Amino acid sequence: MKIHTLVVLVQDHPGVLNRAVSMFRRRGYNIASLVVGHTETAGVSRMTIVVESVNVEQVVKQLYRLVEVLKISDVSDDPVVDREMVLVKLHVTGQHRAEIVALTEVFTAKIVDVAANTMVIEMTGGPAKVDNFIDVIRPFGIKEMMRTGRITMVRGAKGHSGAELIDQAAE
Amino acid sequence: MSEKRTGAQILCEALIQNGVDTMFGIPGGAIMPFYHAMWEYRTDLRHILCRHEQGAGHAAEGFARSTGRIGVCIGTSGPGTTNLVTPIADAWMDSTPLLAICGQVSSTVLGKDAFQETDITGITMPITKHNYLVKNINDIAYVVKEAIHIATTGRYGPVLVDITKDALQASAVPDYSKKIFLPGYRPTVTGSKKQIKAALSLMLKSKKPILMIGNGVMMSDASAEIRVFAERYKIPVITTLHALGAFPEDHELSLGMPGMHGWVHANRAIQEADFLMNIGGRFDDRVTGKASTFAPNAKIVHVDIDPSEIGKNIEVEVPIVGDARIVTLSLLEEEPEETLVAEFHKNAAVWLEYIRELQTKHQHKQQYLNRPDTSTMLPHDVFAALTKAMNTRGNYRVVTDVGQHQMWAAQLLDWYKPRTHITSGGAGTMGFAVPAALGVAVAHPEDTVWAIAGDGGFQMTNQEMIVVIQENIKNMKVAIINNGFLGMVRQWQELFEGKRYSGTPLTSPNFQKLAEAYGWTGITVESVDQIDAAIERAYAIDGPVLIDFRVEREVNVFPMVPQNKSIGEMITE
Ligand SMILES: Cc1ncc(C[n+]2csc(CCOP(=O)(O)OP(=O)(O)O)c2C)c(N)n1
């Protein structure tokens, strides 16, 4: 089992996310993380899918069977920028406040809300750094937490824009 | 063309413009506007009223598989469309070009659990090549065009179009000119030249080559090209269930069917081959047996239009993505050195002779040629008589249901021409035969269309027999191989479960009387000596005839590969 990161460009028709997820479910592929969002091109969405698979080639081929899928890149072995964001609400007593503030600085995280007994911290970074931050902060008492899942972009010139794929098809 | 039309009229016109002339369906609330409009277009757009939407779906499948054209079925929202789910799943498994048109509740109440609202696009997402929910009249013309394009290109398959009632009722000026734009859908039809050369040079190095052909050869109408290729290289040909008829069985190179109920010599040839080229088959587990043991000595070339099929079940040496016919034509363009070909011919001849010896050794038992002279009627007697009759009459097409009779028909009838054998392969849908045969009979009024079913499967969809009467269809016959059991399940119980006949003994109505009640001619056959006369009579009558063959109850289909065993390990008795 290897972890793969797929960058998938799709036409953003209704149901396209449903189609993709349904395909993963019925073929027994395990999604570790999935994030969808708009791209620079109207009508084209982008998914970053992290999948555990022994045969990622099959996953890619099955995804390509969906009519709305424009391009799939397996970027697992490429140099990439990988980002996740996490919001953490901590239960904070007075004695730990200073320590937490110091830690957020170390992780270049931001304190975005402070109340009588709680504090919300926003942190962005690579998945490993986010893991690390959560480990460090956990002993203070996490009340709520939400991670976004990973978004990924290959470094350098490599990569595809939605517009480029649409134009190619139009020719 | 600049006049306003209702959505339903636009739907009719779009269907006609995209080559549809026949549809099978049942009306109801949400789809009524379509039926209202259909009236004006009835000379160009024939609607055949079925008795259950499953029947309509299978009829459309039969129409599609026997013609290569899109089959169209219609259901109204809710239960009307859920009844279409089985044929859609069947079409998905067998890559049948099917268009399901569904009525949906009005967009104003969609999502509010309105009367007869069902999320049919959600339900069919995993079993369609694509589907649409159309809520805007301005999308209808284009969606119909795109849907038929998707269903009938690349790897064929079912496409569902769900249209809200208000979109059908609205009116607008139609625009039929919008060009198909599918940036994510560009099937590869031409095989890579490099791969084709590699495949051929691999083949020419082999001494025990096999050409296996599948559904893709049928779907792409590649029979003629396959024949030229096989004859040029003198390579033995194996035909999967869905390719029966794509290569004539009386050809000196034909080895027949492989797999779970395939012939011993065909399976043994696969296991001993040093080269296997599969054109248009998907290495289904009923063909391969335990996949890891399949063709252990062979270098494998796989030609498929769907890249996801390549390497899915069986690892291959040379993958070729492309249309079976176009790739075969490219293979034929190659001109390898004559000395290589001559050497190949020499080896292939020795190989073929070896396979024929195997065949002779096993054939008698397999085909019951030496049947004991009992008074009971074996299914084999019926199939022998049917073969004889069909061969003398010509122009037959056979649609089989699912079970023992399906395998006997595949084994024992003669398949010479493409699209003459139609069955539910991938899904194994009981109830397929009668309605699918109706669709075939509608598409081919000049041919005699036989539905062959078991007493179990026949009782799932026989209500469609009345459609044959209503539509004045003359060329359909039904043969029931009536063994008083859900036979194929009983066989497994006998062989692997100590004869615990749990849920398999089957009481049936008097099928002859049932046929007569439908306005068919019904015949009951109870002994061997009645078979020929009954078939003779069925042919003599210009109209639908059903024959109930009451065969010996506990007969097994052999040879057989037990599930998940190697196809080298066949049980022959
Ligand atoms: C809709 C459906 N239900 C159940 C099955 C499982 N099944 C496969 S073969 C078979 C027995 C078929 O019996 P019959 O129609 O009498 O044909 P026979 O095998 O006796 O020729 C059954 C129940 C199926 N394939 N399809």
Side-chain angles (χ1 to χ4, degrees):
Chain A
M1 218 45 119
K2 198 186 152 199
I3 304 276
H4 294 269
T5 306
L6 305 178
V7 171
V8 185
L9 288 163
V10 301
Q11 289 180 286
D12 67 356
H13 294 168
V16 64
L17 177 62
N18 201 337
R19 279 180 219 285
V21 174
S22 159
M23 190 284 290
F24 277 84
R25 175 192 52 75
R26 71 177 186 272
R27 296 204 181 263
Y29 305 142
N30 220 345
I31 300 180
S33 147
L34 182 152
V35 178
V36 198
H38 293 301
T39 63
E40 75 299 329
T41 308
V44 176
S45 294
R46 179 164 165 143
M47 303 181 185
T48 302
I49 307 176
V50 182
V51 58
E52 284 173 32
S53 173
V54 278
N55 186 355
V56 76
E57 224 179 291
Q58 253 304 305
V59 178
V60 169
K61 285 171 168 181
Q62 292 296 343
L63 258 180
Y64 266 126
R65 287 179 81 183
L66 305 181
V67 167
E68 289 134 334
V69 169
L70 300 170
K71 184 80 199 172
I72 306 166
S73 315
D74 181 356
V75 301
S76 313
D77 298 325
D78 290 325
V80 293
V81 183
D82 249 351
R83 287 295 176 268
E84 255 194 90
M85 187 166 124
V86 63
L87 288 176
V88 189
K89 186 181 283 178
L90 292 175
H91 196 82
V92 187
T93 50
Q95 53 177 41
H96 289 129
R97 241 173 240 275
E99 210 178 326
I100 292 166
V101 171
L103 278 173
T104 52
E105 269 165 30
V106 174
F107 282 91
T108 51
K110 269 197 287 192
I111 296 168
V112 289
D113 178 69
V114 179
N117 294 315
T118 60
M119 208 180 232
V120 178
I121 308 173
E122 167 197 323
M123 191 265 174
T124 304
K129 193 175 161 194
V130 173
D131 286 346
N132 190 220
F133 173 69
I134 292 166
D135 286 346
V136 170
I137 213 92
R138 194 181 292 280
F140 294 100
I142 297 179
K143 213 169 133 54
E144 277 183 59
M145 187 182 104
M146 169 79 198
R147 288 174 82 147
T148 56
R150 187 186 310 187
I151 63 171
T152 303
M153 198 168 275
V154 177
R155 294 174 187 271
K158 204 176 148 189
H160 303 276
S161 76
E164 158 201 331
L165 296 169
I166 297 274
D167 289 350
Q168 264 172 22
E171 271 158 24
Chain B
M1 273 292 184
S2 57
E3 263 174 62
K4 274 194 168 185
R5 298 263 192 289
T6 65
Q9 287 172 316
I10 296 171
L11 176 56
C12 292
E13 290 177 8
L15 287 166
I16 294 167
Q17 285 180 25
N18 289 285
V20 174
D21 55 22
T22 309
M23 310 181 293
F24 302 86
I26 299 183
I31 195 77
M32 272 186 68
F34 183 28
Y35 279 80
H36 179 84
M38 229 182 260
W39 187 254
E40 301 149 49
Y41 298 91
R42 63 188 185 279
T43 47
D44 296 322
L45 209 48
R46 178 178 181 192
H47 177 268
I48 293 173
L49 174 70
C50 292
R51 295 298 180 271
H52 187 296
E53 289 83 357
Q54 183 189 352
H58 290 321
E61 284 190 278
F63 183 93
R65 296 192 72 79
S66 65
T67 58
R69 294 166 57 205
I70 186 89
V72 181
C73 57
I74 306 163
T76 195
S77 71
T81 55
T82 55
N83 277 348
L84 286 174
V85 169
T86 297
I88 291 171
D90 191 86
W92 171 247
M93 292 300 282
D94 284 343
S95 307
T96 303
L98 181 74
L99 175 65
I101 300 174
C102 303
Q104 182 53 278
V105 300
S106 280
S107 63
T108 48
V109 292
L110 201 60
K112 297 183 179 167
D113 302 319
F115 176 65
Q116 292 190 328
E117 176 181 355
T118 297
D119 175 16
I120 197 64
T121 46
I123 289 173
T124 57
M125 210 166 259
I127 51 167
T128 49
K129 193 168 165 188
H130 199 53
N131 64 19
Y132 305 81
L133 171 58
V134 181
K135 295 186 268 189
N136 184 333
I137 180 173
N138 295 314
D139 295 335
I140 293 175
Y142 177 72
V143 164
V144 168
K145 188 192 278 186
E146 187 177 283
I148 293 177
H149 173 75
I150 290 174
T152 56
T153 52
R155 178 180 185 174
Y156 297 170
V159 176
L160 179 142
V161 179
D162 195 22
I163 313 179
T164 61
K165 188 170 187 177
D166 51 344
L168 290 172
Q169 286 169 323
S171 45
V173 177
D175 176 8
Y176 298 109
S177 64
K178 195 174 157 198
K179 281 221 176 65
I180 288 177
F181 182 63
L182 287 164
Y185 177 75
R186 280 162 296 165
T188 306
V189 292
T190 316
S192 136
K193 205 77 190 158
K194 193 174 127 242
Q195 297 294 82
I196 284 164
K197 282 188 194 300
L200 210 57
S201 89
L202 200 59
M203 181 179 96
L204 288 171
K205 282 193 205 110
S206 71
K207 295 193 165 68
K208 300 172 172 182
I210 289 290
L211 175 61
M212 185 159 109
I213 59 174
N215 197 19
V217 168
M218 202 70 90
M219 291 283 117
S220 69
D221 290 317
S223 296
E225 292 75 9
I226 288 287
R227 183 169 178 160
V228 174
F229 179 77
E231 286 173 353
R232 156 123 34 123
Y233 292 101
K234 302 194 174 27
I235 178 170
V237 182
I238 284 179
T239 36
T240 69
L241 182 68
H242 273 321
L244 293 175
F247 192 76
E249 283 194 333
D250 55 350
H251 195 285
E252 57 174 357
L253 293 167
S254 168
L255 302 184
M257 189 172 76
M260 183 175 271
H261 292 293
W263 297 128
V264 173
H265 67 272
N267 283 341
R268 287 273 290 276
I270 291 171
Q271 293 306 82
E272 292 180 33
D274 61 358
F275 174 87
L276 186 144
M277 173 142 58
N278 176 359
I279 303 187
R282 63 182 175 88
F283 290 119
D284 173 69
D285 55 87
R286 288 297 193 260
V287 166
T288 61
K290 190 176 181 170
S292 58
T293 63
F294 178 79
N297 310 310
K299 296 223 179 340
I300 295 179
V301 175
H302 190 185
V303 180
D304 203 296
I305 195 152
D306 179 355
S308 77
E309 285 303 342
I310 296 176
K312 186 179 81 178
N313 297 341
I314 297 288
E315 274 182 47
V316 302
E317 204 86 11
V318 182
I320 301 176
V321 177
D323 170 270
R325 184 169 162 274
I326 294 172
V327 170
T328 309
L329 282 169
S330 304
L331 282 165
L332 286 170
E333 273 168 24
E334 295 298 316
E335 285 173 5
E337 251 181 75
E338 276 314 312
T339 51
L340 274 180
V341 177
E343 179 68 17
F344 182 75
H345 281 171
K346 218 172 70 204
N347 291 324
V350 176
W351 168 232
L352 182 61
E353 195 175 326
Y354 168 77
I355 301 170
R356 290 298 178 209
E357 273 167 30
L358 268 178
Q359 181 175 11
T360 317
K361 227 164 69 195
H362 291 278
Q363 194 167 30
H364 282 257
K365 207 180 300 167
Q366 290 175 163
Q367 303 200 4
Y368 281 67
L369 298 179
N370 288 346
R371 74 181 296 284
D373 190 21
T374 62
S375 56
T376 56
M377 175 166 59
L378 297 183
H380 301 74
D381 298 318
V382 176
F383 285 104
L386 280 171
T387 304
K388 202 170 60 185
M390 286 174 186
N391 281 340
T392 47
R393 309 276 175 164
N395 287 356
Y396 58 90
R397 292 178 196 261
V398 176
V399 184
T400 57
D401 213 78
V402 173
Q404 292 185 307
H405 67 278
Q406 177 191 32
M407 293 298 112
W408 282 315
Q411 293 177 338
L412 303 174
L413 297 178
D414 289 343
W415 307 111
Y416 302 122
K417 286 195 252 168
R419 301 187 191 277
T420 54
H421 170 263
I422 289 160
T423 196
S424 166
T429 306
M430 280 169 74
F432 178 82
V434 169
L438 159 67
V440 179
V442 167
H444 301 277
E446 70 288 357
D447 295 344
T448 302
V449 180
W450 282 91
I452 302 181
D455 39 336
F458 175 75
Q459 290 186 71
M460 288 193 177
T461 52
N462 67 69
Q463 75 283 345
E464 304 305 331
M465 282 167 66
I466 195 63
V467 181
V468 172
I469 300 298
Q470 180 167 350
E471 292 292 322
N472 199 21
I473 292 163
K474 301 279 191 200
N475 57 323
M476 182 170 158
K477 318 283 172 192
V478 169
I480 302 176
I481 308 301
N482 182 353
N483 54 14
F485 276 105
L486 293 172
M488 187 56 95
V489 180
R490 186 210 57 77
Q491 172 167 346
W492 286 42
Q493 288 172 332
E494 178 186 333
L495 297 178
F496 311 118
E497 292 172 23
K499 280 204 177 192
R500 281 169 79 128
Y501 288 168
S502 182
T504 46
L506 188 68
T507 304
S508 292
N510 181 322
F511 290 133
Q512 178 183 337
K513 285 193 179 154
L514 182 71
E516 285 162 6
Y518 279 129
W520 285 46
T521 302
I523 304 173
T524 306
V525 172
E526 284 173 310
S527 60
V528 179
D529 57 353
Q530 299 170 347
I531 300 176
D532 285 331
I535 295 173
E536 206 48 47
R537 206 177 136 215
Y539 268 104
I541 291 169
D542 180 27
V545 180
L546 174 149
I547 312 178
D548 176 11
F549 292 103
R550 304 212 177 145
V551 297
E552 178 69 13
R553 297 189 71 204
E554 297 180 45
V555 184
N556 294 329
V557 183
F558 290 123
M560 176 181 195
V561 181
Q563 193 163 21
N564 207 30
K565 285 280 187 335
S566 152
I567 57 168
E569 304 171 42
M570 298 202 84
I571 313 176
T572 51
E573 58 190 315

